[in-house]
Amino acid sequence: MSKTVIIGGVAGGATAAARLRRRDEGMEIVVLEKGGYISFANCGLPYYIGDVIRSREALLLQTPEGMKSKFNIDVRVKNEVTAIRPEENKVTVKNLLTGETYEESYDHLIIATGSSPLKPGIPGINGEHIFTLWNIADTDRIKAFVQENHPRSAAVIGGGFIGVEMAENLHAAGLAVSIIEMQNQVMAPMDYEMAQLLHENMELNGVRLLLEDGVKSFGQENGQVKILLSGGRKVNADMVILSIGVRPNSALAADAGLALNERGGIVVNGHLQTSVPNIYAVGDVIEVTQFTTGNKTMIPLAGPANKQARICADNIVGDKKVYEGTLGASVAKCFDLTAAAVGINEKTLLASGKKKGRDYDTILIQQKSHAGYYPGAVPMTLKLIFDGAAKILGAQIIGQDGVDKRVDTIASVMRLHGTTDALAELELAYAPPYSSAKDPVNMAGFVAENVRNGLVSFIGVRELEKLQADEAAKDTYQILDITENVEHMVFALPGSVHIPLGELRDRLDELDRSKLIIPYCAIGVRSYNAARILQQSGFLKVRVLEGGSAFYKSYHYKEYAGSLPQKEPQMKEESLSKKERSIKLLDCCGMQCPGPIMKVNEALKEMEEGEQLCVTATDMGFARDVQAWCSRTGNRLVNVERENRENKVTIEKGCKNPAEGNAASGCACPSGSGTTQYPAENQGKTIIVFDGELDKVLAAFIIANGAAAMGRPVTMFFTFWGLNALRKPEKVKVKKPFLDRMFGMMMPRGTGKLKLSNMNMCGMGTRLMKKVMKDKNVSSLEELMRQAMAQGVRLVACTMSMDVMGITKEELIDGVELAGVASYLGDAEVSNVNLFV
């Protein structure tokens, strides 16, 4: 029996271990992790700190106990490997809990030690209130500090993925946030002009950006961190998050004599073997091949780490799979925007000596996230980089919606060695809420084809700036504004000539054919049409301003936006007024109708009159439901808004007459009552449950729960086949006549045996319905029944039908009343709704 030891139990290590077990049930597998947790969601840590992810347990994807019970893998946390001895096929391990040192032998070894945050030797960097974020322990420290100390300000050092995500989450928690970045931009995978879109949005959200300035020293004064920047500026903050970068944890490999690159990454071959064949390495710690260029690099991302781990495990059990490289596909949420990139960026090409127009070309287009005529369409900026053979070198996309699927589409084409022509040829799903008939990815392919065929040429904003700054070139070009008159009145590039597109053909003589003509419009579509008119009319030098005036203004947002409106951070709880402190929060996200309304009803029962309840729910119908609920229960609907794809509703508990001015309606709020109680007359609901099919019984209980949540008396009268829903699932020994026993054997016993009225398909449809309900957080029939009885819904079994069907009281679930038609009719007399299901 072979034995594999894995050093590191997070992304790469845990994945490799699970894959090994699936491939070889008899292999001995040992995972050694020096931390206290395995397989946790690194990428979710900022969102837990910002309370977007509310459960700490949700970050723990797997536990040592789970790995043992499910995969029979020996996982040892708090066990640090201190040495690798390749010549003996052993590792030295220290148990951090007991201090014991021991040896562990192996046939194969996987190094999945990952990376660690950089902490350069800046004076004071180890001072109080200065944190890094890399693991669960870091997260707990930051979370505890925020909760216990209520900081008002934070400085994030570094504008990479973690830095930007932490800035957003701390700002959302109510802190004034500054980002300090040594480079001239945040989010290094983006080119500068694309990053300007992020800079604009971050500053609009009230984040202070300090770019092109590094930290010289940290100090402590009056409980704050004092930050001195290299440029002489000073920043004070209650807390500091270091997000400067990462380094590979390759010290063990170096000490063992394994080959490393100049950045400390472990050198591996295509099979993920190190320079010692029975030692493999995966994840952040290894050097990889950049898929686009074939060059060696370091790309610390979770996706590639997991794929490497799978290939590594397969090769250990005898396969010969090859890891062909990493594209570096990435995506991040940045306040109101999503930023995504894949492949290499233009600044990397320029740094390597490549020249635009000779070695590569770029396009930058502005598109809508879906059909512009469908509500909610938002702008999307897409930059595509490609060479003369139409090979896609990289792409960058920034927008509010649909960014991730577009970058994934381009990444897939790149992985399959597709060209820009393939982007144009892709047949993609289209409906107005999701895309356009010519998807932004298709448009990128179309425009790239036009560039390659000489139908259009572009000039970037930075290129235009250089041209405008060159005194010798000032008489060599004309900027042509082809927008409509009203647009030109709002904005025009300095020195531009204005000829609306519709007048261009008749006014060509106003342009100098010897000069470079640079047409622009709002986003670039009309200026492309203008360029085609000009080129086919004898103008030899025409270059369209990429992105149009919209992109130009974002690039120069500080100049053209004037004084930016700042979103003030939320006030901390201790400074809120008494009334504001009375706001209670209720999270109903993921719940389906009638769950949110029921939760609101329960929450208001525990609140005092005048207190407010802020409810978030993803159920699309919740806003309409809660409006009707408030109007009928005498509570006040304060506000309804859509925020981050959630309905956010504020309700004030009241004791008001829903029919204003109608004294006859009355309003009685007994002590302990959650909502306004109405007279029983003409307010009750009665439901006859005749059919015993699952979907119909479900519908009956959903309606009943909704009505009960509004404070209405509800009676459900079960008769004939509907009685089966009330039967106990287990067999009850009751003496019955022969025919009664036969009826009982043929009829379903309880809710678990009910079938669908349509598409039952021998029970397959029923099982599918229950699974879909569970996946979408729809309460099961059993849960709905319990909720109904808890809310006081009367479940009444028709005694006449029981007698006919041969069903006895002992066979029914607890809490069911036995009554006849007269009882039902009595409730129906004081009801304004009577349903037959």
Side-chain angles (χ1 to χ4, degrees), residues 163-188:
V164 169
E165 290 168 349
M166 276 304 302
E168 178 181 356
N169 281 280
L170 289 172
H171 181 269
L175 281 72
V177 179
S178 300
I179 293 181
I180 300 169
E181 169 58 57
M182 187 179 295
Q183 304 301 316
N184 65 349
Q185 65 169 85
V186 301
M187 302 291 282

Side-chain angles (χ1 to χ4, degrees), residues 5-8 12-13 84 109-114 249-250 252-254 256 258 266 274 279-283 285-286 312:
V5 171
I6 303 171
I7 308 174
I84 300 171
L109 180 69
I110 301 176
I111 301 174
T113 46
N249 295 328
S250 56
L252 281 172
L258 303 183
I266 300 175
T274 69
I279 299 180
Y280 295 74
V282 298
V285 75
I286 70 169
C312 170

Side-chain angles (χ1 to χ4, degrees), residues 135-337:
N135 54 36
I136 295 291
D138 293 339
T139 306
D140 290 340
R141 282 191 289 270
I142 297 171
K143 187 85 168 179
F145 179 83
V146 172
Q147 291 175 342
E148 295 169 9
N149 295 276
H150 305 293
R152 291 183 174 275
S153 60
V156 178
I157 315 301
F161 285 93
I162 293 179
V164 169
E165 290 168 349
M166 276 304 302
E168 178 181 356
N169 281 280
L170 289 172
H171 181 269
L175 281 72
V177 179
S178 300
I179 293 181
I180 300 169
E181 169 58 57
M182 187 179 295
Q183 304 301 316
N184 65 349
Q185 65 169 85
V186 301
M187 302 291 282
M190 299 287 163
D191 284 317
Y192 177 78
E193 69 273 19
M194 294 291 284
Q196 280 288 78
L197 299 174
L198 303 178
H199 298 161
E200 176 188 29
N201 189 256
M202 293 168 77
E203 293 203 23
L204 282 168
N205 277 280
V207 172
R208 183 185 181 194
L209 288 179
L210 302 170
L211 304 175
E212 296 185 89
D213 211 345
V215 177
K216 186 175 182 180
S217 67
F218 294 101
Q220 304 285 328
E221 185 177 306
N222 298 325
Q224 282 195 315
V225 182
K226 298 184 71 65
I227 309 165
L228 176 62
L229 303 185
S230 301
R233 289 182 288 185
K234 296 178 181 179
V235 178
N236 294 338
D238 294 330
M239 65 183 297
V240 171
I241 303 293
L242 299 177
S243 180
I244 301 172
V246 297
R247 58 172 176 78
N249 295 328
S250 56
L252 281 172
D255 293 344
L258 303 183
L260 305 181
N261 66 10
E262 66 279 1
R263 296 172 61 183
I266 300 175
V267 176
V268 295
N269 62 17
H271 302 298
L272 298 166
Q273 294 168 296
T274 69
S275 52
V276 177
N278 70 332
I279 299 180
Y280 295 74
V282 298
D284 292 5
V285 75
I286 70 169
E287 173 187 83
V288 297
T289 299
Q290 211 295 328
F291 185 83
T292 307
T293 64
N295 298 329
K296 298 296 182 181
T297 187
M298 305 285 291
I299 302 179
L301 291 171
N306 279 275
K307 294 171 182 64
Q308 294 156 13
R310 178 185 173 91
I311 291 172
C312 170
D314 287 346
N315 288 339
I316 285 176
V317 298
D319 292 354
K320 294 295 181 183
K321 292 183 176 179
V322 175
Y323 183 71
E324 296 185 350
T326 303
L327 273 170
S330 59
V331 64
K333 185 176 181 298
C334 181
F335 291 87
D336 305 315
L337 299 174

Side-chain angles (χ1 to χ4, degrees), residues 535-575:
Q535 287 176 294
Q536 295 178 82
S537 300
F539 289 81
L540 302 179
K541 295 179 288 184
V542 181
R543 299 181 69 186
V544 173
L545 178 63
E546 61 183 11
S549 60
F551 187 78
Y552 183 92
K553 286 185 285 186
S554 288
Y555 184 88
H556 296 94
Y557 70 91
K558 290 189 177 181
E559 178 182 348
Y560 288 103
S563 179
L564 294 175
Q566 300 292 308
K567 286 187 179 179
E568 293 297 329
Q570 299 171 1
M571 297 298 293
K572 301 305 290 182
E573 186 174 345
E574 59 264 29
S575 66

Side-chain angles (χ1 to χ4, degrees), residues 101-136:
T101 298
Y102 62 95
E103 293 179 345
E104 196 72 40
S105 63
Y106 62 82
D107 296 304
H108 296 94
L109 180 69
I110 301 176
I111 301 174
T113 46
S115 56
S116 297
L118 281 172
K119 289 188 73 173
I122 300 172
I125 197 169
N126 294 314
E128 292 184 351
H129 307 167
I130 299 176
F131 304 91
T132 57
L133 178 63
W134 203 244
N135 54 36
I136 295 291

